Amino acid sequence: MDLRDTEAEAAFRRGLREWLGKTLPELPPAPDPADWPGRRAYDTAWQRRLYDAGYAGVHWPVEAGGKGASPAEYLIFLEETERAGAPYVGANFVGLLHAGPTIAAEGTPEQRRRYLPRILSGAEVWCQGFSEPGAGSDLASLRTRAERDGDEYVVSGSKVWTSHAEVADWCELLVRTDPDAPKHRGISWLILAMDAPGVTVRPLRTLTGTTEFAELFLDEVRVPVANRVGAENDGWRVTMVTLSFERGTAFAGEVVACRRSLAELARLAQRNGAWGDPGLRRGIGLLAARFGALWRLVQWNVSEAQGGGVPGPGASVFKLRFSEARQELYDLAAEVLGAGALVLDETGSESWTAQRLQGLSYTIAAGTSQIQRTIVAQRVLGLPKGRGA
């Protein structure tokens, strides 16, 4: 297998590097991590720059507003933007990496025309309303109700860990539309306007002091039936499409970031004397191999999703191993930093410490590691379900 760039891919890489080299110095300073309104403005302005330059949604199908780039070109885009230190998707995360691909794959032509261009251009921000206080890891046990009233649903209930709700325009929302059906068969996937009457957002403060998550309360909120993606009560299948993108391709850029962070950690260990520990060197070497293997899984999943496709159940293999490897990386960083790993605002340790605290959620977010192991066992390895499953 020849993994070198073709002439066309090399030209794409050169053009992207040139554009990044000219554009990044023009960006204003990044806002405070706790300032989510400021971060929304910063992130959407960056997304607009990508859009105007033709780099927004490079891997999305042309009919969805993207460029229809090959998997190799999309991976080049991830590599070059990360290596250049370009802004991450930030507040655009749910729209670009979850809701947008789901609408592209499952939405009506009208839904694709209405929502996708505004996601790609950064004009609108989305949040994710999946988890509920009483459901835990069993997402299908959700209780938020949507009762049909003519051409509208009347929605009541609550969500928790709603990503970016504080600054979002729209929400990808899971609701129960048939309370009498088996729990996986009575769910629908709706597009909720966050400014609709009856919507209340209560931000949740994380360990690092930011409010990227929130509680979401819905009190008889009216949602047009036209805002349903997929058929009524077919929302669990649509949700599996969303989660396949979330677990299979949404973290792709973070693998590049972790490989870069691991190299930085090795240099830090060499400077502060920790490199003399053979156990530390073995740990860094092992993680380098793991992230290399994860990058190959990224390549597989991106190729599987080419042209509007959906990553398969192997996405759970990637999500499981990446979330754990990322935690191992920042645990190793704590060994190198020593006492500095306990301080958030000390120069040289802030990013490592904050990333370690943030990483504690990775084995929970997007499906716990226990859930991923069950999916891998049953859908990848073909093992039988256990008793009571």
Side-chain angles (χ1 to χ4, degrees):
M1 180 182 294
D2 187 354
L3 296 177
R4 294 172 296 182
D5 290 349
T6 65
E7 289 187 12
E9 290 162 0
F12 178 77
R13 190 185 295 274
R14 285 194 301 272
L16 177 57
R17 281 184 179 177
E18 180 181 351
W19 181 78
L20 289 168
K22 291 188 302 184
T23 304
L24 293 180
E26 300 173 353
L27 297 183
D32 186 291
D35 177 14
W36 269 103
R39 290 179 68 177
R40 173 190 162 125
Y42 184 84
D43 294 341
T44 55
W46 170 246
Q47 185 61 29
R48 183 70 204 198
R49 284 179 182 262
L50 290 171
Y51 183 79
D52 291 340
Y55 290 118
V58 291
H59 61 302
W60 283 25
V62 173
E63 58 270 23
K67 301 302 177 185
S70 69
E73 289 173 327
Y74 177 50
L75 294 169
I76 288 170
F77 173 82
L78 294 176
E79 290 173 343
E80 294 300 327
T81 52
E82 180 58 41
R83 286 171 181 167
Y88 187 52
V89 290
N92 298 307
F93 183 88
V94 175
L96 283 170
L97 304 179
H98 300 179
T102 302
I103 292 172
E106 298 288 337
T108 65
E110 293 78 12
Q111 289 169 343
R112 292 195 291 269
R113 284 193 297 268
R114 165 61 184 84
Y115 298 106
L116 298 184
R118 298 184 70 78
I119 290 174
L120 286 176
S121 67
E124 293 177 343
V125 170
W126 285 62
C127 63
Q128 184 182 64
F130 281 17
S131 299
E132 293 191 3
S137 297
D138 186 8
L139 181 59
S141 294
L142 63 91
R143 298 180 181 178
T144 296
R145 293 279 298 272
E147 298 180 354
R148 186 76 174 260
D149 182 17
D151 292 333
E152 294 179 317
Y153 290 107
V154 181
V155 181
S156 294
S158 66
K159 299 288 180 176
V160 71
W161 310 121
T162 306
S163 307
H164 306 318
E166 187 178 5
V167 293
D169 303 295
W170 299 95
C171 177
E172 52 177 15
L173 184 71
L174 294 188
V175 297
R176 186 159 300 284
T177 41
D178 185 351
D180 298 322
K183 65 180 183 179
H184 290 87
R185 299 180 183 175
I187 295 171
S188 296
W189 200 106
L190 302 182
I191 299 171
L192 167 72
M194 291 297 288
D195 61 355
V199 175
T200 301
V201 174
R202 183 183 299 164
L204 295 170
R205 193 163 299 278
T206 68
L207 277 172
T208 56
T210 67
T211 55
E212 64 241 53
F213 300 113
E215 294 176 287
L216 181 64
F217 300 94
L218 307 165
D219 183 12
E220 297 189 348
V221 180
R222 291 190 168 266
V223 179
V225 172
N227 283 20
R228 187 187 67 230
V229 175
E232 186 170 281
N233 300 324
D234 192 31
W236 187 252
R237 184 190 62 80
V238 179
T239 301
M240 292 302 99
V241 172
T242 305
L243 294 179
S244 292
F245 285 115
E246 182 176 23
R247 296 165 182 168
T249 56
F251 291 112
E254 293 200 36
V255 177
V256 181
C258 284
R259 296 178 82 178
R260 185 182 67 179
S261 295
L262 184 62
E264 292 175 359
L265 183 63
R267 290 190 290 270
L268 176 61
Q270 290 165 359
R271 290 196 302 270
N272 73 3
W275 192 252
D277 181 354
L280 176 70
R281 295 199 302 273
R282 282 195 297 270
I284 288 178
L286 180 59
L287 277 175
R290 286 177 176 168
F291 284 120
L294 283 165
W295 185 244
R296 292 292 179 245
L297 274 176
V298 166
Q299 292 173 313
W300 177 278
N301 288 328
V302 168
S303 297
E304 199 171 24
Q306 183 182 15
V310 178
S316 288
V317 176
F318 168 80
K319 195 276 171 183
L320 171 65
R321 200 62 200 94
F322 169 71
S323 61
E324 295 180 345
R326 190 185 188 282
Q327 289 181 346
E328 292 166 9
L329 167 62
Y330 288 99
D331 284 346
L332 201 61
E335 293 184 30
V336 174
L337 290 168
L342 302 176
V343 182
L344 269 173
D345 58 355
E346 183 177 310
T347 301
S349 68
E350 179 179 1
S351 62
W352 293 104
T353 306
Q355 289 294 321
R356 188 181 185 214
L357 292 174
Q358 184 191 55
L360 296 174
S361 69
Y362 273 58
T363 48
I364 300 172
T368 66
S369 290
Q370 291 82 359
I371 292 293
Q372 304 312 316
R373 288 188 174 92
T374 298
I375 293 172
V376 171
Q378 295 176 359
R379 301 184 190 175
V380 178
L381 300 178
L383 298 179
K385 293 183 178 181
R387 291 183 178 179

